[in-house]
Amino acid sequence: MDIAFVIEKSVLVSIIFGISLLIAMYSTYAERKVAAFLQDRLGPDRAGPFGMFQPLADGLKMFMKEEIVPANASKWLFMVGPGLAMLTACIGTAVIPWGSPITIGDRIIPLQVTDINVGLLYIFGVVSLGVYGVMIGGWASNNKYSLLSAIRAASQNISYEIAMGLSIIALLLVTGSMSLKEIVETQHGWRWNVLYQPLGFVLFMICAFAETNRAPFDLPECETELIGGYHTEYSSMKLGFYLFAEYINMFVSAAVMATLYFGGYNYPGMDWVLANTGPVIGPLIGTAVFFIKIFAFIFFFMWVRWTIPRFRYDQLMHLGWKVLIPLAIANIVVTAVVIAVIEGF
Amino acid sequence: MGTSVFYFVATLSVIFSLMVIFSKNPVHSVLYLIVTFFTFTVHYILLNAQFLAVVNFIVYMGAIMVLFLFVLMLLNLNKDNEPLKSNLVKIVGVIAGCCLVVTLVGALKATAISDPVVLRNPNLGLVKNLGKELFGPFMLPFELCSILLLSAMVGAILLTKKEKA
């Protein structure tokens, strides 16, 4: 392990971390602007031009608020909850390939922190760990509504993880690899997986909405029934962490969907662009395309939130167990049969 | 390097396993158990068994322990409503514990350090190789295991269904 390798990876990790935080910050702004647009309002427009500094003002407000810990709360776990939510939100980005490798001199720099051969399962593991932040926070608050919300979050996550895992299996049959880098490379040009796995993509996306607790699946923070949900007792920056983790989760799941089904940094005509722009600019254009896809998904998340009302809890369970899981299993069977026929058994 | 990491993580495993037993609050016990499982994941990675590591991570830490935590949070056990244990149970517990200690000490005395196990294929734990082993020479036992799990699942669902009067 030479020193250049360590420097290269640390720089990459810091850049990705910074970008995740920046995008999450401006997602809060974008969410308010999108909501305003959809409801024919103006949205935040006081802090700076077009209200551009609104996220900074919000962040400052969060920091300045009084820190309150409920008297009978489990103090240590009350603190661990938001930290864990933030941690699990951030570590998912480690296996996502952000672009094709850059060549500087005779050194090839991959735009991916680590390419483990179980990358897809790693993402799945991080997602399944995400619920602990909510559960621990909700239980430690020593509040009935928080506890109910934590339990809702847990059962919702477990139910939708099954359908998500099954939709991933169908994708694995198509790509034949669990390394995210190889999955992206098989989608070269326009051969995106969404063309081969349209149903799998829809299932994965619905489950991603449920796993990130976004509307219409935001039952854990259903304010009409549960006051504020699992973060009822939280104030100041701990509350800020919970809210912020949701936006980072949204960014990560948008990146995962773009990677798995929409070709990552691939786009039609990329060979011509790569040949004509050189070994540094070419891959960076691919990265820019990848980010455009991510922003499109984030916009879609917001669009859905302000369009579709929240489910009732029994409808949520019905959808998860009786609709998504059978569809996902049917998808696996059809995919397997088609592949067997094409490859001649 | 590898050995020292192993001893460090092994110490953590032992400490957290003890914390599972000694913590008063059941929810804290489950949380310590989750951390213990995490140290097991690190052990699998040290053994170059990436697939097993990540499956341990997903299945034990991500699913089974969530259900444990779920049930314990619903029960909301604490000191006030803990059922009192009778003296008979305590005496039986002490006797059983002593028997276990004797057995463990006896077993430890009889052990000798075995030769180190050398795998024919050091990369057996990677997904591709493991899959080829499971669906090649071990096809029949693997499929039998899946049928066993399926029947267990069907049985569990059958037990929860109330019979119609």
Side-chain angles (χ1 to χ4, degrees):
Chain A
M1 211 191 294
D2 60 334
I3 197 82
F5 178 79
V6 174
I7 292 173
E8 179 192 306
K9 289 296 180 199
S10 341
V11 168
L12 194 61
V13 167
S14 333
I15 290 175
I16 291 172
F17 185 61
I19 287 179
S20 323
L21 292 188
L22 189 74
I23 287 182
M25 212 167 107
Y26 272 91
S27 296
T28 63
Y29 170 74
E31 173 117 78
R32 295 170 71 172
K33 277 291 188 190
V34 169
F37 169 68
L38 291 176
Q39 297 169 347
D40 204 13
R41 295 186 281 116
L42 274 180
D45 67 341
R46 293 301 149 120
F50 307 107
M52 286 295 279
F53 301 132
Q54 188 65 40
L56 296 176
D58 287 344
L60 192 68
K61 187 192 89 174
M62 283 291 184
F63 271 115
M64 305 303 271
K65 289 276 180 182
E66 189 189 351
E67 184 98 42
I68 300 168
V69 180
N72 284 326
S74 163
K75 286 204 179 53
W76 170 239
L77 289 180
F78 191 75
M79 219 160 66
V80 169
L84 206 59
M86 226 20 203
L87 178 77
T88 49
C90 288
I91 55 178
T93 50
V95 293
I96 293 171
W98 300 96
S100 39
I102 293 179
T103 317
I104 298 175
D106 49 348
R107 193 175 174 79
I108 297 171
I109 302 170
L111 291 183
Q112 184 183 19
V113 177
T114 175
D115 181 32
I116 47 179
N117 70 359
V118 286
L120 197 49
L121 290 180
Y122 171 84
I123 294 270
F124 197 59
V126 171
V127 165
S128 61
L129 213 58
V131 70
Y132 281 119
V134 173
M135 281 186 89
I136 291 175
W139 181 79
S141 303
N142 197 21
N143 175 326
K144 280 199 178 78
Y145 294 105
S146 300
L147 182 67
L148 273 176
S149 161
I151 285 167
R152 274 188 178 189
S155 48
Q156 175 179 326
N157 264 44
I158 288 183
S159 309
Y160 280 79
E161 253 166 42
I162 301 170
M164 190 182 228
L166 291 174
S167 67
I168 285 178
I169 289 177
L171 181 73
L172 283 182
L173 288 173
V174 174
T175 59
S177 170
M178 283 205 255
S179 148
L180 289 184
K181 192 176 173 55
E182 284 172 35
I183 289 178
V184 171
E185 274 165 8
T186 53
Q187 307 180 56
H188 193 80
W190 54 267
R191 284 191 295 269
W192 297 352
N193 281 333
V194 68
L195 301 175
Y196 302 101
Q197 281 290 319
L199 179 62
F201 167 67
V202 172
L203 292 173
F204 188 89
M205 195 174 61
I206 294 173
C207 295
F209 273 85
E211 298 285 329
T212 47
N213 287 338
R214 289 285 299 182
F217 298 96
D218 58 345
L219 274 291
E221 32 194 298
C222 175
E223 60 277 344
T224 45
E225 295 162 17
L226 294 171
I227 309 180
Y230 55 88
H231 47 54
T232 302
E233 296 286 354
Y234 280 88
S235 64
S236 179
M237 207 51 206
K238 286 186 192 136
L239 173 67
F241 266 25
Y242 269 130
L243 301 181
F244 210 59
E246 180 183 320
Y247 285 94
I248 299 179
N249 273 328
M250 203 160 86
F251 167 61
V252 174
S253 49
V256 170
M257 282 193 285
T259 308
L260 295 183
Y261 290 98
F262 276 79
Y265 49 78
N266 294 303
Y267 52 96
M270 60 185 296
D271 289 321
W272 184 84
V273 175
L274 275 177
N276 285 291
T277 48
V280 178
I281 306 292
L284 286 181
I285 292 176
T287 308
V289 171
F290 185 42
F291 272 96
I292 290 172
K293 290 173 187 172
I294 293 175
F295 292 145
F297 272 117
I298 292 179
F299 174 73
F300 187 71
F301 266 101
M302 291 169 182
W303 188 10
V304 168
R305 172 167 178 185
W306 297 107
T307 308
I308 300 177
R310 188 181 284 137
F311 282 119
R312 219 169 52 218
Y313 202 70
D314 60 317
Q315 291 170 330
L316 176 96
M317 285 296 152
H318 182 273
L319 178 70
W321 288 95
K322 293 187 181 165
V323 180
L324 295 186
I325 292 178
L327 270 179
I329 293 175
N331 189 33
I332 292 175
V333 173
V334 171
T335 312
V337 168
V338 169
I339 288 177
V341 168
I342 288 175
E343 294 185 355
F345 300 96
Chain B
M1 166 82 179
T3 332
S4 54
V5 172
F6 166 75
Y7 278 114
F8 177 67
V9 181
T11 319
L12 285 184
S13 311
V14 173
I15 291 173
F16 285 119
S17 321
L18 289 176
M19 298 291 270
V20 175
I21 307 171
F22 290 129
S23 55
K24 289 263 167 64
N25 192 320
V27 172
H28 291 182
S29 280
V30 171
L31 292 176
Y32 282 122
L33 194 56
I34 294 166
V35 182
T36 313
F37 280 134
F38 182 69
T39 60
F40 291 171
T41 303
V42 180
H43 283 303
Y44 284 128
I45 291 173
L46 287 177
L47 291 171
N48 201 18
Q50 294 186 8
F51 183 70
L52 219 52
V54 83
V55 165
N56 182 59
F57 193 83
I58 294 172
V59 175
Y60 281 90
M61 286 177 69
I64 295 182
M65 294 322 288
V66 171
L67 287 177
F68 268 53
L69 208 57
F70 185 87
V71 172
L72 281 175
M73 281 180 179
L74 271 181
L75 290 177
N76 200 17
L77 293 172
N78 50 37
K79 266 178 239 153
D80 306 329
N81 56 19
E82 192 182 352
L84 285 171
K85 293 188 182 77
S86 66
N87 279 333
L88 186 68
V89 174
K90 284 179 187 164
I91 293 167
V92 171
V94 169
I95 294 172
C98 289
C99 289
L100 183 67
V101 169
V102 170
T103 320
L104 279 179
V105 169
L108 278 177
K109 268 185 79 177
T111 52
I113 296 175
S114 62
D115 293 333
V117 179
V118 180
L119 284 176
R120 270 173 295 162
N121 178 3
N123 287 329
L124 182 67
L126 306 186
V127 182
K128 207 169 211 164
N129 306 330
L130 197 69
K132 280 190 176 139
E133 285 293 315
L134 281 181
F135 285 97
F138 295 101
M139 179 85 170
L140 186 67
F142 185 73
E143 296 293 339
L144 284 179
C145 280
S146 66
I147 290 172
L148 192 68
L149 282 174
L150 186 67
S151 54
M153 259 161 70
V154 173
I157 292 171
L158 208 66
L159 282 179
T160 55
K161 283 220 166 183
K162 282 186 188 131
E163 277 187 42
K164 281 181 189 134

